[in-house]
Amino acid sequence: MYGIGAFSRALALHHRFKLGTRYFTAQAASSLKPLCDPSTYSAEEYANIDWNNLGFGHTPTDYMYVTKSTGDGSFEQGKLDRFGNLELSPAAGVLNYGQGLYEGMKAFRRENGGIFLFRPDQNAARMQIGAERLCMPSLTTEHFLDALRQTVLANKRWIPPPGKGSLYIRPMLIGSGPILGLAPAPQYTFLVYVSPVGNYFKEGTAPLNIYVEEEYHRAVHGGAGGVKSITNYAPVMKPITRGKARGFSDVLYLDSVHKRYVEEVSSCNIFIVKGNIISTPVAGATILPGITRKTIIDIARDSGYEVEERLVEVDELCEADEVFCTGTAVGVAPVGSITYKGKRIEYKLGEEHVSKKLGSTLVGIQKGVIEDKRGWVMEIGEQTSWSNSMKAR
Ligand code: COI
């Protein structure tokens, strides 16, 4: 295990990588030497995995970032550890009472070798809001971003080649201190681990087949559906498992009071298109404020669509021209069919469907082939100063 200082000094380093116009060094302990097949990708730069067949599974990488709360609401500086198991008390707040949050984001590599994050400040802010809801201290935005930068650079060889996928980043904030009575934990751990990923759904980029869940709900008013609490995810496993067993890609939840309004899909937000109007349920109370959701709303408005954030009735699915989902893991995914009360509604997706246009714009901005007018994309390198890049926004 290495502290940050030791990390950057250690074995000083055997590899020097080009990052955009900057150079940085990254640790390569002998046990971590890349084993790549040089006939496909340079052994210096890439881990030895099958980059052509990445799904959305967990691949252990080299390092994870860990820091603990100090008791006064702040966090220690934090350090990179070799990726591995955590030591937790059986009485940890997260294990007993689910006091935990996570974020999902992606780092991607451009053709010129640059490494980029997409709107990471939004994830920092969302984690801070979630922490307040779950009575946890949270990291400053700068600390959060620096943890991302360190983790991504330390695992650089796991970032897929351009066009092959991305490095999924999973920041977590958990009540790690022991607590038996129902109360906030006495200590918190923030960590970041990463995994190279490809498409989230086994369908790849093919249209999804969604099932409208009538028995189970994802969230209730006053609950934690509007923050990225880990407790929002275990309850959807039963409906997803049942939906998948019936051949569906994922499950769409309705509001728990009227069972009439569309909320979100287990892994993503939902949009419906009718003519020039794109509608999506209002995020915040029971619906996660997705960062891809927010981005697509801006891209759609910039592209001349009218976007309405409002109550969306389940019956509107029958009249929609198009339906699509958005999420970090999922991207922008077209829906091919929705099954509700035993009736299957099919959507015909022409060559130029709306979600394809919006999704291509998003990917174009990420790749750098479309101008990033709003400063969403952040390049990371050893010299990155988050406070400066945040001020520049
Ligand atoms: C993400 O899109 O990052 C999520 O957290 C969804 C998760 C089900 C993979």
Side-chain angles (χ1 to χ4, degrees):
M1 297 203 183
Y2 305 98
I4 294 174
F7 171 76
S8 45
R9 283 190 307 277
L11 303 173
L13 294 358
H14 303 164
H15 295 295
R16 210 156 184 255
F17 298 109
K18 188 171 190 299
L19 179 68
T21 52
R22 292 185 287 268
Y23 285 90
F24 73 100
T25 48
Q27 181 186 35
S30 50
S31 60
L32 299 175
K33 279 223 171 98
L35 301 165
C36 193
D37 171 5
S39 66
T40 50
Y41 298 110
S42 136
E44 281 249 308
E45 267 195 279
Y46 290 104
N48 183 20
I49 60 173
D50 182 0
W51 296 109
N52 293 316
N53 287 298
L54 288 176
F56 199 86
H58 177 241
T59 302
T61 65
D62 300 331
Y63 296 98
M64 61 186 189
Y65 178 93
V66 183
T67 177
K68 288 187 189 304
S69 66
T70 54
D72 64 356
S74 57
F75 282 79
E76 292 164 358
Q77 197 186 3
K79 65 184 173 68
L80 290 163
D81 285 343
R82 288 290 301 275
F83 179 84
N85 294 343
L86 296 176
E87 191 170 291
L88 272 185
S89 163
V94 66
L95 296 180
N96 291 264
Y97 300 124
Q99 199 186 15
L101 291 167
Y102 81 84
E103 278 300 323
M105 44 207 312
K106 284 175 174 171
F108 45 93
R109 219 188 260 269
R110 283 190 185 162
E111 296 288 351
N112 69 0
I115 296 170
F116 294 83
L117 298 180
F118 190 74
R119 309 189 78 180
D121 51 311
Q122 298 291 315
N123 297 84
R126 190 167 66 181
M127 181 167 266
Q128 288 157 2
I129 292 167
E132 198 278 325
R133 175 66 183 84
L134 299 192
C135 289
M136 302 196 277
S138 56
L139 273 73
T140 62
T141 301
E142 202 169 347
H143 192 170
F144 180 94
L145 297 178
D146 194 54
L148 300 181
R149 183 187 66 85
Q150 288 192 47
T151 317
V152 170
L153 293 183
N155 290 293
K156 186 177 181 239
R157 69 193 186 105
W158 299 96
I159 306 174
K164 299 289 178 191
S166 54
L167 189 72
Y168 187 79
I169 310 171
R170 183 50 72 84
M172 299 199 74
L173 178 61
I174 57 172
S176 48
I179 189 88
L180 194 55
L182 184 54
Q187 193 178 37
Y188 296 87
T189 299
F190 171 80
L191 62 97
V192 186
Y193 72 92
V194 294
S195 179
V197 296
N199 287 321
Y200 180 77
F201 289 109
K202 69 167 173 37
E203 289 84 345
T205 52
L208 308 178
N209 297 303
I210 303 280
Y211 167 80
V212 180
E213 175 61 53
E214 292 177 70
E215 185 182 358
Y216 298 107
H217 297 278
R218 178 186 169 275
V220 294
H221 276 267
V227 297
K228 218 158 168 59
S229 171
I230 60 172
T231 55
N232 291 331
Y233 294 87
V236 298
M237 288 180 189
K238 187 161 184 181
I240 295 180
T241 305
R242 196 166 62 175
K244 288 200 170 167
R246 294 180 190 166
F248 295 101
S249 325
D250 206 333
V251 173
L252 171 62
Y253 300 91
L254 300 179
D255 79 283
S256 63
V257 178
H258 309 94
K259 297 183 187 284
R260 174 173 161 199
Y261 301 107
V262 168
E263 297 229 311
E264 67 177 270
V265 176
S266 318
S267 57
C268 44
N269 294 115
I270 189 159
F271 286 79
I272 67 168
V273 183
K274 184 75 186 160
N276 195 49
I277 302 176
I278 301 179
S279 307
T280 190
V282 182
T286 53
I287 295 167
L288 189 79
I291 292 155
T292 310
R293 171 189 180 278
K294 187 172 175 170
T295 302
I296 286 299
I297 290 175
D298 284 341
I299 292 177
R301 286 187 174 138
D302 288 350
S303 312
Y305 292 96
E306 207 176 302
V307 180
E308 295 180 349
E309 293 180 75
R310 59 172 175 86
L311 288 172
V312 176
E313 300 221 19
V314 63
D315 289 341
E316 292 182 55
L317 295 171
C318 302
E319 307 301 322
D321 299 333
E322 201 180 312
V323 176
F324 64 91
C325 294
T326 62
T328 299
V330 166
V332 179
V335 172
S337 78
I338 296 194
T339 301
Y340 176 48
K341 288 190 187 294
K343 187 178 152 208
R344 185 174 163 109
I345 311 151
E346 307 237 346
Y347 301 97
K348 287 201 182 61
L349 295 164
E351 216 5 74
E352 276 307 296
H353 54 271
V354 175
S355 67
K356 187 171 175 189
K357 277 192 270 181
L358 301 178
S360 305
T361 304
L362 170 60
V363 171
I365 293 171
Q366 291 173 337
K367 282 187 175 166
V369 296
I370 294 179
E371 190 191 350
D372 175 22
K373 291 187 193 134
R374 297 175 194 253
W376 282 335
V377 177
M378 281 192 185
E379 184 170 14
I380 53 170
E382 196 173 73
Q383 309 308 323
T384 305
S385 159
W386 293 111
S387 45
N388 288 343
S389 28
M390 298 310 296
K391 272 183 224 137
R393 291 156 76 77

